[in-house]
Amino acid sequence: MIETNTSETLPHKDDTSWRLKAIMGGSIGNLVEWYDWYAYSAFSLYFAGTFFPGSNPTVQLINTAGIFAVGFLMRPIGGYLFGKLADTKGRKEAMTLSVLLMSFGSLLIAFLPGYSTIGISAPILLLVARLLQGLSVGGEYGTSATYLSEVATKERRGFYSSFQYVTLIGGQLIALGLQLILQRIFLTEQQMHEWGWRIPFVIGAILSLIALYLRSNLHETEAFRNKSTSPAKKEGSIKELLKHPKALSVVVGLTLGGTLAFYTYTTYMQKFLVNTVGLTKGQSTTLTFCSLLIFALLQPVFGALSDKVGRRPLLIGFGVLGTLCTVPLLTTLSHTSTMWGAFGLLMGALLIVSGYTSINAVVKAELFPVEVRALGVGLPYSITVAIFGGTAEYLALWFKNAGHESYYYWYVTVCILISLIVYITMKDTKHTSLIEH
């Protein structure tokens, strides 16, 4: 394991340059991790046939989406292992190890032979690689959310912590940007299907090593270093975590609808635009890239707004608009025939979702004391995302293949409504934050 230097001296708490460096270092590592994670989804349009033979493209996508969903099952395990590590050994060590594991998973996918070469072993090994990535990204969310929330000042915690989703979305943007470059400049459609899809995974492995270096030079957070001395068994333990049942239920409830909406309008949307709307793969990639770029820029704006008005009003805004608008938005989008029309509808949806994405990390971090904060953020979140976010693509494609695509729209609506009930009944963590304690 990488040793955490507990004798290092932190810069003064008012040193803005150190704080910005810490946030940048934590965020860049987060960006690389999520690039590796999303590269699978972005390029699955091209490698689905490599690992799953057959003539029905929807069935091939269902199979790749199934492995995408199974990868999410490892996220609760990652949330537990890395959350416990972060609460006992430090946030820095957990974040460094998670990015190293992601690099290995990406390399495995990059050089994996197809079904025509090694038969059934191909999809099995693809699953193994995805499980490793799921373990890594499951640990990444809780530890990076905790780190960014703890290094931020009280007055700007919503703003600074929003950069977790800036880089999370940024990872998907880099994956899509690379896809656009390969599609339009360097490779033909046939080359993309044959071997071009391997390029992003090689790049991801290299970027992970760069992030590994950056994270190894980060300072540990003051909150972790200064926490009260307690028996090691209490730090990052399930027993200690279960002493906060209300906070755990809030994390599950506020995540449920938000994560499903997020994965619907980001990860699944690229396939929806091709499979349902009827756009070409190139048009879908371009539209998704542009909408996500604006979406990423919205996160600090909403995060800063939460520092002024509180977290709860933004969450309630997402809950109300998400409940009322999901079915009309997706129904209208499915019948849209122009790129501009699709772009406008998608941006409307992402604007609504920003009320959740921009602040959900800091809200969770503010619910837990320092000794179980990373575990409290990461584990219940990862379980909820595995169940609802990880199955979003699979369920959407399954409903479409069954001839009842609109059922999925209502499913998303009901989940957001459940989260809305949580938002209405919870306290505003801006005013009750345990980070200050």
Side-chain angles (χ1 to χ4, degrees):
M1 278 191 181
I2 297 166
E3 293 296 329
T4 301
N5 183 5
T6 56
S7 63
E8 66 178 343
T9 302
L10 279 173
H12 191 272
K13 63 181 181 179
D14 294 327
D15 186 347
T16 303
S17 62
W18 162 78
R19 203 177 303 279
L20 290 174
K21 182 180 178 181
I23 290 172
M24 182 176 296
S27 296
I28 289 176
N30 191 55
L31 182 146
V32 172
E33 284 239 21
W34 288 100
Y35 161 81
D36 286 331
W37 179 254
Y38 282 123
Y40 179 97
S41 178
F43 286 85
S44 63
L45 286 166
Y46 293 101
F47 68 71
T50 300
F51 297 101
F52 301 100
S55 57
N56 188 329
T58 298
V59 172
Q60 289 177 343
L61 286 174
I62 288 175
N63 287 328
T64 56
I67 287 185
F68 184 81
V70 171
F72 275 80
L73 297 180
M74 292 298 287
R75 291 179 64 165
I77 300 175
Y80 169 71
L81 293 177
F82 285 95
K84 183 177 178 62
L85 180 64
D87 286 329
T88 54
K89 300 297 183 181
R91 317 327 189 186
K92 171 185 172 181
E93 182 169 339
M95 292 195 302
T96 304
L97 289 175
S98 70
V99 82
L100 182 63
L101 185 60
M102 180 63 79
S103 176
F104 181 75
S106 292
L107 272 178
L108 183 57
I109 295 177
F111 297 104
L112 185 60
Y115 188 91
S116 61
T117 304
I118 59 174
I120 193 63
S121 297
I124 291 175
L125 288 174
L126 179 65
L127 175 62
V128 170
R130 198 59 183 169
L131 292 177
L132 290 175
Q133 289 190 321
L135 187 67
S136 171
V137 83
E140 172 65 22
Y141 179 88
T143 53
S144 64
T146 299
Y147 184 83
L148 292 174
S149 298
E150 288 180 348
V151 299
T153 59
K154 177 181 179 181
E155 296 76 16
R156 306 195 73 188
R157 188 167 288 132
F159 172 75
Y160 281 130
S161 63
S162 71
F163 281 90
Q164 184 186 36
Y165 260 77
V166 171
T167 50
L168 189 154
I169 300 164
Q172 190 169 3
L173 280 172
I174 294 176
L176 289 172
L178 179 60
Q179 188 175 39
L180 282 171
I181 293 171
L182 293 177
Q183 284 174 337
R184 306 211 170 178
I185 300 177
F186 293 107
L187 301 179
T188 64
E189 183 84 359
Q190 183 178 350
Q191 289 173 327
M192 286 288 290
H193 280 278
E194 291 177 350
W195 56 268
W197 61 265
R198 298 182 184 274
I199 295 174
F201 296 102
V202 174
I203 293 175
I206 295 171
L207 290 176
S208 294
L209 295 178
I210 296 173
L212 179 66
Y213 170 78
L214 292 173
R215 285 191 163 179
S216 65
N217 287 284
L218 291 175
H219 285 288
E220 186 53 80
T221 69
E222 188 174 9
F224 176 79
R225 289 163 55 88
N226 294 342
K227 65 183 168 105
S228 300
T229 303
S230 58
K233 64 180 181 179
K234 290 186 177 181
E235 299 172 347
S237 69
I238 294 294
K239 182 179 180 181
E240 190 69 15
L241 182 62
L242 291 177
K243 293 180 181 178
H244 308 276
K246 186 175 181 180
L248 287 170
S249 62
V250 169
V251 171
V252 173
L254 75 88
T255 301
L256 191 157
T259 192
L260 182 57
F262 174 76
Y263 280 99
T264 296
Y265 293 120
T266 57
T267 306
Y268 173 61
M269 189 49 55
Q270 191 180 12
K271 300 172 183 63
F272 182 83
L273 293 172
V274 173
N275 239 13
T276 298
V277 180
L279 301 182
T280 66
K281 291 176 183 176
Q283 288 175 324
S284 171
T285 304
T286 301
L287 196 155
T288 305
F289 179 87
C290 293
S291 60
L292 286 179
L293 178 60
I294 299 174
F295 184 40
L297 296 176
L298 287 172
Q299 303 310 299
V301 176
F302 278 80
L305 180 61
S306 78
D307 288 326
K308 300 293 184 181
V309 304
R311 325 294 187 211
R312 190 164 165 266
L314 270 67
L315 292 172
I316 291 176
F318 157 69
V320 171
L321 292 174
T323 301
L324 296 176
C325 300
T326 296
V327 173
L329 276 171
L330 288 174
T331 302
T332 306
L333 183 59
S334 68
H335 294 96
T336 301
S337 58
T338 66
M339 278 191 65
W340 281 111
F343 177 76
L345 290 166
L346 182 54
M347 278 313 309
L350 291 175
L351 185 66
I352 293 171
V353 177
S354 292
Y356 163 80
T357 54
S358 59
I359 60 170
N360 80 95
V362 69
V363 169
K364 293 161 190 169
E366 290 173 327
L367 288 168
F368 296 95
V370 63
E371 64 269 14
V372 291
R373 183 167 295 140
L375 183 62
V377 173
L379 181 58
Y381 167 83
S382 296
I383 293 173
T384 310
V385 171
I387 296 172
F388 296 97
T391 58
E393 276 195 12
Y394 188 89
L395 281 176
L397 289 167
W398 187 84
F399 278 124
K400 177 176 177 57
N401 198 53
H404 301 289
E405 189 169 23
S406 63
Y407 289 6
Y408 179 75
Y409 311 163
W410 286 103
Y411 166 65
V412 176
T413 298
V414 171
C415 289
I416 295 176
L417 176 61
I418 294 172
S419 287
L420 174 59
I421 296 172
V422 175
Y423 304 150
I424 292 173
T425 56
M426 68 182 285
K427 293 181 180 180
D428 195 322
T429 59
K430 179 180 183 293
H431 307 298
T432 60
S433 175
L434 293 184
I435 294 178
E436 304 308 317
H437 301 284

